[in-house]
Amino acid sequence: MNLILLAPHDLQDDHHAVVRDPRRLRHLLDVHHAKVGDELTLGVAGGKLGRGRLTHLDAEQALFRIDRLDQPPPAALPVHLVLALPRPRMLARSLEHVTALGVKHITLLHTRRVEKSYWQSPELRPEKIHQHLVLGLEQARDTRLPEVDLETRFKPFVEDRLPGLLEERRGLLAHPGMPHACPRGIDEPALLIIGPEGGFIPYEVERLLQAGCEGIHLGERILRVETAVTALLSRLF
Amino acid sequence: MNLILLAPHDLQDDHHAVVRDPRRLRHLLDVHHAKVGDELTLGVAGGKLGRGRLTHLDAEQALFRIDRLDQPPPAALPVHLVLALPRPRMLARSLEHVTALGVKHITLLHTRRVEKSYWQSPELRPEKIHQHLVLGLEQARDTRLPEVDLETRFKPFVEDRLPGLLEERRGLLAHPGMPHACPRGIDEPALLIIGPEGGFIPYEVERLLQAGCEGIHLGERILRVETAVTALLSRLF
């Protein structure tokens, strides 16, 4: 937690905030070893970053005086990430990684090799997804939450949503064996599509290429989804 | 497990292997749903990759007939990674990520902001480290284990070992606020040094720069060690 991310209900007025949830209180006490008088980095969800001073801390609440909120959050990555739904633990970590890296649009997609049971996981509940996104923002000192949407059927996504998404973005399908190595340092908006453990099936690859995506690869090593997504984003942007 | 990695003691002769450890047996049964007659990717630790057929499988052992072992493992990254010792869970995952990415030399270093208790973690036992390296190799279909060494004191490392390491490698110190962005697609041997959560202290940065390292950064976002290490390696190579 490199940032105290304040939700609207944490703000008492323009200059005072209170934090009452156990997770952040425990972090302040046990990890930061925070003391009254400490200056910390604060940010308002969706807004600016600044500094504030801890004026009270006990097991029930932390009070902050906000000194300034004048820094814009770091730039977002110009990417819409489409991720075949990973298994729950991998999903949790991947959401944190990509949020910390600056992704603002995430679509979780069903594909043939996604186990159907993953869609029933508690990790997909909105409050759990929100929690992982917040952890990513707190890590990277960002304030703007990504949007996450769920596409539980492959065909309607490819036929009805993908063409619109590709109108203003370069479509990149990351899949082993594709003809081109992942490009480096592109500076245009992109839609990056990453398959499940075990990969897309040939039919899915064909449909995504037909829709206008370029097939790219990261070499002959097979990476876990959470490693691959970080490696791809870091190389692309 | 995209590869059955055979240790020397798994080999019965040039054409037959047996796997008896519970982890791999469980994986074959529960994840692969392997059946007698299945063809699988095999590799010999430190050697070549190939294909083999499962000739017997029960709860006690899996027997393989090795059909061919003729593929070299994927290329290694030309990097020696020096990582300030992360907290145990992060260490475990980071070892798997970097092994899967192809790192072959890893030094775990003590720095001021590494908690001393981390050096007592069971994750640092040779057999635990070995286990995470093997998981990384099995993931990426690689056979060559990285070497891992422990440097429990910063100063002797910088004074006695670092100069020799930098004779044939470009030294890169990844640290927030350094003057240059992480370079892309270098094709020369490198020594990559990554600090702990909380970063290097100014004295440490100074010593590493004096020793000949270039300071590089990944932008204003603060990343977890396991995200940063993947992002840096992917951008560099």
Side-chain angles (χ1 to χ4, degrees):
Chain A
M1 194 162 78
N2 297 306
L3 165 74
I4 314 290
L5 185 63
L6 300 167
H9 64 261
D10 295 329
L11 291 167
Q12 298 181 306
D13 59 42
D14 280 359
H15 298 287
H16 297 88
V18 58
V19 163
R20 292 207 176 92
D21 60 295
R23 180 183 67 84
R24 285 184 293 174
L25 284 174
R26 206 166 43 235
H27 199 95
L28 280 167
L29 288 162
D30 299 346
V31 181
H32 282 292
H33 306 293
K35 296 179 305 294
V36 166
D38 283 359
E39 203 194 35
L40 293 160
T41 301
L42 307 175
V44 174
K48 293 200 168 173
L49 300 164
R51 303 286 286 177
R53 211 166 279 278
L54 192 60
T55 58
H56 175 90
L57 178 63
D58 62 28
E60 304 291 313
Q61 58 180 9
L63 300 178
F64 295 92
R65 194 190 66 228
I66 302 170
D67 293 329
R68 54 184 176 81
L69 278 176
D70 54 359
Q71 298 294 312
L77 292 186
V79 67
H80 184 132
L81 177 66
V82 178
L83 199 59
L85 182 66
R87 58 191 156 86
R89 257 189 350 161
M90 185 85 79
L91 170 66
R93 290 207 298 266
S94 298
L95 288 175
E96 292 179 33
H97 292 310
V98 305
T99 303
L101 288 163
V103 174
K104 297 300 175 194
H105 291 95
I106 304 165
T107 295
L108 300 172
L109 177 66
H110 185 68
T111 73
R112 180 72 71 82
R113 293 201 181 119
V114 170
E115 284 195 26
K116 290 218 173 93
S117 65
Y118 294 171
W119 290 99
Q120 312 307 322
S121 162
E123 291 292 340
L124 274 183
R125 286 187 204 141
E127 67 273 20
K128 287 290 278 183
I129 287 184
H130 181 81
Q131 184 185 316
H132 294 298
L133 302 180
V134 165
L135 288 173
L137 293 182
E138 290 176 347
Q139 170 64 43
R141 286 193 179 152
D142 192 357
T143 64
R144 284 179 290 173
L145 277 169
E147 287 173 34
V148 177
D149 47 46
L150 312 183
E151 291 279 356
T152 55
R153 292 168 64 213
F154 180 79
K155 226 173 132 187
F157 169 74
V158 171
E159 290 176 0
D160 305 336
R161 251 84 73 202
L162 187 55
L165 291 170
L166 291 179
E167 269 173 26
E168 294 172 341
R169 292 174 188 86
R170 179 174 175 182
L172 298 168
L173 166 63
H175 184 69
M178 288 288 105
H180 300 292
C182 176
R184 293 177 188 275
I186 69 173
D187 54 1
E188 66 207 294
L191 180 93
L192 174 63
I193 307 181
I194 301 177
E197 308 278 318
F200 288 108
I201 61 170
Y203 164 80
E204 292 164 343
V205 172
E206 195 182 309
R207 292 301 306 266
L208 293 167
L209 295 177
Q210 274 169 1
C213 294
E214 301 164 50
I216 61 169
H217 69 82
L218 268 180
E220 56 182 312
R221 294 175 176 276
I222 306 172
L223 301 177
R224 285 161 66 160
V225 168
E226 63 169 326
T227 318
V229 73
T230 300
L232 286 160
L233 291 170
S234 175
R235 191 176 294 211
L236 283 171
F237 300 104
Chain B
M1 193 162 80
N2 296 305
L3 165 73
I4 314 291
L5 185 63
L6 300 167
H9 64 261
D10 295 330
L11 292 167
Q12 298 181 304
D13 59 44
D14 280 359
H15 298 287
H16 296 88
V18 58
V19 162
R20 292 206 176 91
D21 61 294
R23 179 183 68 84
R24 285 184 293 174
L25 284 175
R26 207 166 42 235
H27 199 95
L28 280 168
L29 287 162
D30 299 347
V31 180
H32 282 293
H33 305 295
K35 295 178 303 295
V36 165
D38 283 359
E39 203 194 35
L40 293 160
T41 300
L42 307 175
V44 173
K48 293 200 169 175
L49 300 164
R51 302 287 284 177
R53 210 166 281 276
L54 191 60
T55 57
H56 174 91
L57 178 64
D58 62 28
E60 304 291 312
Q61 60 181 8
L63 301 177
F64 295 92
R65 192 190 68 226
I66 302 170
D67 292 329
R68 55 184 176 80
L69 278 176
D70 53 0
Q71 298 293 314
L77 292 186
V79 67
H80 185 134
L81 178 66
V82 179
L83 199 59
L85 183 66
R87 61 191 154 86
R89 256 190 351 161
M90 186 84 80
L91 170 66
R93 289 207 298 268
S94 298
L95 288 175
E96 292 179 32
H97 293 310
V98 306
T99 303
L101 288 163
V103 173
K104 297 299 175 195
H105 292 94
I106 304 165
T107 295
L108 299 172
L109 176 66
H110 185 67
T111 73
R112 180 72 72 84
R113 294 203 180 117
V114 169
E115 284 195 26
K116 290 216 173 93
S117 65
Y118 295 172
W119 290 100
Q120 312 307 323
S121 163
E123 291 292 340
L124 274 183
R125 286 186 205 142
E127 68 273 20
K128 288 290 278 184
I129 287 183
H130 180 81
Q131 185 185 314
H132 294 298
L133 303 180
V134 165
L135 288 172
L137 293 182
E138 289 176 347
Q139 170 64 45
R141 287 195 178 151
D142 193 356
T143 63
R144 283 178 290 173
L145 277 170
E147 287 172 34
V148 177
D149 47 46
L150 311 183
E151 290 281 355
T152 56
R153 293 169 63 213
F154 180 81
K155 227 173 129 185
F157 169 74
V158 171
E159 291 176 359
D160 305 336
R161 251 85 72 202
L162 188 56
L165 291 170
L166 291 178
E167 270 173 26
E168 296 173 339
R169 292 176 189 83
R170 180 174 174 182
L172 298 168
L173 166 64
H175 184 69
M178 288 288 105
H180 301 292
C182 175
R184 293 177 188 274
I186 68 173
D187 54 2
E188 65 207 294
L191 181 92
L192 175 63
I193 307 182
I194 301 177
E197 308 279 318
F200 289 108
I201 63 170
Y203 164 81
E204 291 164 344
V205 171
E206 195 182 310
R207 292 301 306 264
L208 293 167
L209 295 177
Q210 275 170 0
C213 294
E214 302 163 49
I216 61 169
H217 70 81
L218 268 181
E220 56 182 313
R221 294 174 176 277
I222 306 172
L223 301 177
R224 286 162 66 161
V225 168
E226 62 169 327
T227 318
V229 72
T230 299
L232 286 159
L233 290 170
S234 175
R235 192 176 294 212
L236 284 170
F237 301 103

